[in-house]
Protein backbone atom coordinates (compact mmCIF):
# COMPACT_ATOMS: atom_id res chain seq x y z
CA UNK A 1 0.00 0.00 0.00
CA UNK A 2 1.26 3.55 -0.71
CA UNK A 3 2.46 5.64 2.22
CA UNK A 4 1.78 9.28 3.00
CA UNK A 5 4.08 11.16 5.33
CA UNK A 6 1.98 13.91 6.88
CA UNK A 7 1.22 16.00 9.93
CA UNK A 8 -2.38 16.50 11.14
CA UNK A 9 -1.90 20.28 11.32
CA UNK A 10 -0.37 20.55 7.84
CA UNK A 11 -2.94 21.95 5.40
CA UNK A 12 -0.97 20.51 2.46
CA UNK A 13 -1.10 17.08 4.07
CA UNK A 14 -4.84 17.39 4.67
CA UNK A 15 -5.32 18.42 1.04
CA UNK A 16 -3.66 15.25 -0.26
CA UNK A 17 -5.52 13.08 2.24
CA UNK A 18 -8.84 14.48 1.04
CA UNK A 19 -7.91 13.85 -2.60
CA UNK A 20 -6.96 10.24 -1.88
CA UNK A 21 -10.21 9.59 -0.03
CA UNK A 22 -12.36 11.33 -2.64
CA UNK A 23 -10.79 9.12 -5.30
CA UNK A 24 -11.27 6.01 -3.18
CA UNK A 25 -7.60 5.22 -2.60
CA UNK A 26 -5.96 4.31 0.67
CA UNK A 27 -2.50 5.03 1.98
CA UNK A 28 -0.70 4.21 5.19
CA UNK A 29 -0.32 7.41 7.19
CA UNK A 30 2.94 8.17 8.95
CA UNK A 31 2.98 11.30 11.09
CA UNK A 32 6.23 13.16 10.52
CA UNK A 33 7.70 15.81 12.79
CA UNK A 34 9.72 17.70 10.19
CA UNK A 35 11.67 19.68 12.79
CA UNK A 36 13.32 16.42 13.91
CA UNK A 37 15.07 16.25 10.51
CA UNK A 38 15.14 12.47 10.45
CA UNK A 39 17.75 11.10 8.09
CA UNK A 40 15.37 8.54 6.56
CA UNK A 41 12.78 11.21 5.84
CA UNK A 42 15.33 13.59 4.34
CA UNK A 43 16.44 10.77 2.07
CA UNK A 44 12.90 10.79 0.65
CA UNK A 45 12.62 14.57 0.50
CA UNK A 46 15.83 16.58 0.97
CA UNK A 47 13.68 19.73 1.37
CA UNK A 48 12.30 18.24 4.59
CA UNK A 49 8.74 19.38 3.85
CA UNK A 50 5.35 17.68 3.88
CA UNK A 51 3.53 15.88 2.44
CA UNK A 52 5.50 13.06 0.85
CA UNK A 53 3.71 10.27 -1.02
CA UNK A 54 5.54 6.99 -1.58
CA UNK A 55 3.89 4.67 -4.11
CA UNK A 56 3.89 0.88 -4.23
CA UNK A 57 7.16 0.94 -6.16
CA UNK A 58 8.83 3.01 -3.41
CA UNK A 59 9.00 6.11 -5.59
CA UNK A 60 8.65 9.33 -3.61
CA UNK A 61 6.55 12.32 -4.70
CA UNK A 62 7.14 15.48 -2.69
CA UNK A 63 4.78 18.41 -2.17
CA UNK A 64 1.03 18.85 -2.41
CA UNK A 65 1.09 20.31 -5.95
CA UNK A 66 3.23 17.52 -7.38
CA UNK A 67 1.20 14.82 -5.62
CA UNK A 68 -2.16 16.29 -6.63
CA UNK A 69 -1.11 16.54 -10.29
CA UNK A 70 0.13 12.95 -10.21
CA UNK A 71 -3.12 11.72 -8.65
CA UNK A 72 -5.15 13.56 -11.28
CA UNK A 73 -3.12 12.10 -14.13
CA UNK A 74 -3.18 8.55 -12.76
CA UNK A 75 -6.60 8.41 -11.08
CA UNK A 76 -8.60 11.58 -11.76
CA UNK A 77 -8.85 11.09 -15.51
CA UNK A 78 -10.78 7.88 -14.83
CA UNK A 79 -13.39 9.53 -12.59
CA UNK A 80 -15.39 11.42 -15.25
CA UNK A 81 -17.76 13.80 -13.43
CA UNK A 82 -16.00 13.09 -10.12
CA UNK A 83 -12.67 14.35 -11.43
CA UNK A 84 -11.26 17.11 -9.23
CA UNK A 85 -9.54 18.95 -12.09
CA UNK A 86 -11.75 20.12 -14.94
CA UNK A 87 -11.33 18.94 -18.53
CA UNK A 88 -11.55 22.47 -19.95
CA UNK A 89 -8.07 24.09 -19.97
CA UNK A 90 -9.27 27.51 -18.79
CA UNK A 91 -11.34 26.00 -15.98
CA UNK A 92 -8.40 23.82 -15.02
CA UNK A 93 -6.22 26.92 -14.82
CA UNK A 94 -8.71 28.61 -12.49
CA UNK A 95 -8.73 25.56 -10.22
CA UNK A 96 -4.94 25.60 -10.11
CA UNK A 97 -4.89 29.34 -9.40
CA UNK A 98 -7.17 29.00 -6.40
CA UNK A 99 -5.44 25.88 -5.15
CA UNK A 100 -2.17 27.79 -5.20
CA UNK A 101 -3.86 30.69 -3.38
CA UNK A 102 -4.89 28.51 -0.45
CA UNK A 103 -1.85 26.22 -0.41
CA UNK A 104 0.70 29.03 -0.74
CA UNK A 105 -0.63 32.53 -0.05
CA UNK A 106 -3.06 31.64 2.74
CA UNK A 107 -0.52 29.16 4.06
CA UNK A 108 2.11 31.89 4.31
CA UNK A 109 -0.24 34.60 5.61
CA UNK A 110 -2.27 32.60 8.09
CA UNK A 111 -2.22 28.82 8.36
CA UNK A 112 1.48 28.08 8.73
CA UNK A 113 2.31 30.79 11.30
CA UNK A 114 -0.70 29.91 13.46
CA UNK A 115 0.04 26.18 13.29
CA UNK A 116 3.69 26.77 14.12
CA UNK A 117 3.06 29.11 17.03
CA UNK A 118 0.11 27.25 18.54
CA UNK A 119 0.89 23.62 17.70
CA UNK A 120 4.38 22.84 16.47
CA UNK A 121 6.18 24.82 19.16
CA UNK A 122 4.42 22.72 21.81
CA UNK A 123 5.96 19.60 20.30
CA UNK A 124 9.45 21.02 19.69
CA UNK A 125 12.34 21.09 22.10
CA UNK A 126 14.02 24.42 22.84
CA UNK A 127 16.87 23.49 20.50
CA UNK A 128 14.35 22.85 17.71
CA UNK A 129 12.71 26.24 18.16
CA UNK A 130 10.00 25.31 20.62
CA UNK A 131 8.69 27.51 23.38
CA UNK A 132 6.04 30.13 23.98
CA UNK A 133 4.07 31.50 21.02
CA UNK A 134 5.24 34.80 19.53
CA UNK A 135 2.39 37.25 20.18
CA UNK A 136 3.39 39.51 17.28
CA UNK A 137 3.23 36.64 14.78
CA UNK A 138 -0.15 35.60 16.19
CA UNK A 139 -1.57 39.12 15.85
CA UNK A 140 -0.39 39.45 12.27
CA UNK A 141 -1.75 36.06 11.22
CA UNK A 142 -5.09 36.69 12.90
CA UNK A 143 -5.40 40.04 11.16
CA UNK A 144 -4.73 38.30 7.84
CA UNK A 145 -7.59 35.86 8.42
CA UNK A 146 -10.12 38.63 7.76
CA UNK A 147 -8.92 39.28 4.21
CA UNK A 148 -8.87 35.62 3.30
CA UNK A 149 -12.35 35.10 4.73
CA UNK A 150 -13.59 38.05 2.66
CA UNK A 151 -12.18 36.46 -0.49
CA UNK A 152 -13.70 33.09 0.44
CA UNK A 153 -17.03 34.82 1.02
CA UNK A 154 -16.92 36.31 -2.47
CA UNK A 155 -15.98 32.99 -4.09
CA UNK A 156 -18.55 30.93 -2.19
CA UNK A 157 -21.25 33.55 -2.69
CA UNK A 158 -20.80 33.97 -6.45
CA UNK A 159 -20.22 30.37 -7.54
CA UNK A 160 -21.73 26.99 -6.85
CA UNK A 161 -18.29 25.77 -5.79
CA UNK A 162 -15.17 27.90 -5.37
CA UNK A 163 -13.84 27.41 -8.90
CA UNK A 164 -17.06 26.74 -10.79
CA UNK A 165 -20.02 24.40 -11.06
CA UNK A 166 -18.52 21.36 -9.38
CA UNK A 167 -16.27 20.56 -6.46
CA UNK A 168 -12.58 20.66 -7.29
CA UNK A 169 -9.09 20.79 -5.86
CA UNK A 170 -9.78 24.44 -5.04
CA UNK A 171 -12.48 23.47 -2.54
CA UNK A 172 -10.35 20.77 -0.95
CA UNK A 173 -7.36 23.11 -0.65
CA UNK A 174 -9.45 25.85 0.96
CA UNK A 175 -11.25 23.43 3.28
CA UNK A 176 -7.92 21.95 4.39
CA UNK A 177 -6.73 25.37 5.52
CA UNK A 178 -10.08 26.36 7.04
CA UNK A 179 -10.33 23.09 8.98
CA UNK A 180 -7.03 23.78 10.74
CA UNK A 181 -8.13 27.30 11.66
CA UNK A 182 -11.44 25.90 12.85
CA UNK A 183 -9.70 23.27 14.98
CA UNK A 184 -7.78 26.08 16.66
CA UNK A 185 -10.90 28.20 17.13
CA UNK A 186 -9.49 31.02 15.02
CA UNK A 187 -12.58 31.70 12.88
CA UNK A 188 -15.51 33.83 13.99
CA UNK A 189 -18.29 32.02 12.14
CA UNK A 190 -20.88 34.63 13.12
CA UNK A 191 -19.19 36.95 10.62
CA UNK A 192 -18.78 34.37 7.85
CA UNK A 193 -22.19 32.82 7.19
CA UNK A 194 -21.59 32.28 3.45
CA UNK A 195 -18.27 30.54 4.06
CA UNK A 196 -19.87 28.55 6.86
CA UNK A 197 -22.53 27.17 4.52
CA UNK A 198 -19.87 26.19 1.96
CA UNK A 199 -17.67 24.62 4.63
CA UNK A 200 -20.59 22.61 6.02
CA UNK A 201 -21.01 20.98 2.61
CA UNK A 202 -17.34 19.98 2.58
CA UNK A 203 -17.36 18.98 6.22
CA UNK A 204 -20.30 16.61 5.64
CA UNK A 205 -18.49 14.59 2.97
CA UNK A 206 -17.23 11.10 3.94
CA UNK A 207 -13.68 12.14 3.01
CA UNK A 208 -13.71 14.65 5.87
CA UNK A 209 -14.58 12.16 8.63
CA UNK A 210 -11.02 11.06 9.40
CA UNK A 211 -9.95 14.69 9.80
CA UNK A 212 -12.82 15.47 12.16
CA UNK A 213 -12.02 12.54 14.45
CA UNK A 214 -8.29 13.24 14.58
CA UNK A 215 -6.81 14.97 17.60
CA UNK A 216 -3.48 16.66 18.18
CA UNK A 217 -1.62 15.59 21.29
CA UNK A 218 -1.99 18.19 24.01
CA UNK A 219 -4.41 20.40 22.07
CA UNK A 220 -8.18 19.88 22.18
CA UNK A 221 -10.20 21.36 19.29
CA UNK A 222 -13.05 23.81 19.76
CA UNK A 223 -16.30 22.15 20.81
CA UNK A 224 -18.00 22.48 17.40
CA UNK A 225 -15.06 21.13 15.37
CA UNK A 226 -16.62 17.74 14.61
CA UNK A 227 -20.21 19.05 14.54
CA UNK A 228 -21.64 19.03 11.02
CA UNK A 229 -24.38 21.51 11.96
CA UNK A 230 -22.25 23.92 13.97
Amino acid sequence: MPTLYHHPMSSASRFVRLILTEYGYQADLIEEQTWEKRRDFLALNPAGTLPVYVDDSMRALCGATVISEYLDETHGVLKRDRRLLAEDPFQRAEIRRLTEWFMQKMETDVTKPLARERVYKLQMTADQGGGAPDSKILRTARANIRQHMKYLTWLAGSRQWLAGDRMSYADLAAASAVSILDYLGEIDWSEASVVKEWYQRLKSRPSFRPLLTERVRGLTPVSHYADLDF
Side-chain angles (χ1 to χ4, degrees), residues 46-133:
T49 56
L50 293 171
V52 174
Y53 179 81
V54 181
D55 70 8
D56 289 326
S57 300
M58 298 303 295
R59 298 174 299 186
L61 297 168
C62 306
T65 299
V66 172
I67 298 169
S68 65
E69 292 285 343
Y70 171 81
L71 292 175
D72 176 70
E73 292 170 0
T74 56
H75 303 321
V77 292
L78 306 175
K79 297 300 181 180
R80 298 181 182 273
D81 60 340
R82 290 180 53 233
R83 187 179 182 183
L84 296 168
L85 264 178
E87 291 75 19
D88 176 73
F90 185 84
Q91 188 64 34
R92 197 158 57 241
E94 175 66 356
I95 293 170
R96 287 184 172 121
R97 181 186 74 84
L98 289 174
T99 300
E100 182 178 293
W101 178 281
F102 295 109
M103 287 289 97
Q104 295 187 27
K105 182 168 177 54
M106 188 170 179
E107 176 78 359
T108 301
D109 291 348
V110 178
T111 322
K112 186 175 181 178
L114 285 175
R116 176 178 171 80
E117 296 302 318
R118 294 197 54 196
V119 183
Y120 299 161
K121 279 189 170 182
L122 296 177
Q123 301 174 0
M124 295 174 175
T125 65
D127 291 341
Q128 294 168 339

Side-chain angles (χ1 to χ4, degrees), residues 183-199:
Y183 186 106
L184 298 173
E186 295 286 354
I187 298 177
D188 183 355
W189 289 113
S190 66
E191 298 181 354
S193 59
V194 174
V195 179
K196 181 178 180 180
E197 183 179 345
W198 161 83
Y199 183 53

Side-chain angles (χ1 to χ4, degrees), residues 168-188:
S168 71
Y169 278 170
D171 297 279
L172 300 188
S176 297
V178 168
S179 65
I180 289 175
L181 300 180
D182 191 40
Y183 186 106
L184 298 173
E186 295 286 354
I187 298 177
D188 183 355

Side-chain angles (χ1 to χ4, degrees), residues 136-151:
K136 182 178 179 180
I137 292 176
L138 290 176
R139 283 196 303 272
T140 300
R142 285 165 174 160
N144 289 336
I145 290 175
R146 300 187 188 96
Q147 294 304 315
H148 285 279
M149 292 301 285
K150 286 181 180 178
Y151 189 42

Side-chain angles (χ1 to χ4, degrees), residues 5 30 32-43:
Y5 291 83
I30 296 179
E32 186 67 32
Q33 317 286 356
T34 55
W35 51 87
E36 294 180 352
K37 300 180 180 179
R38 289 192 312 111
R39 181 176 300 177
D40 289 347
F41 179 68
L42 292 175

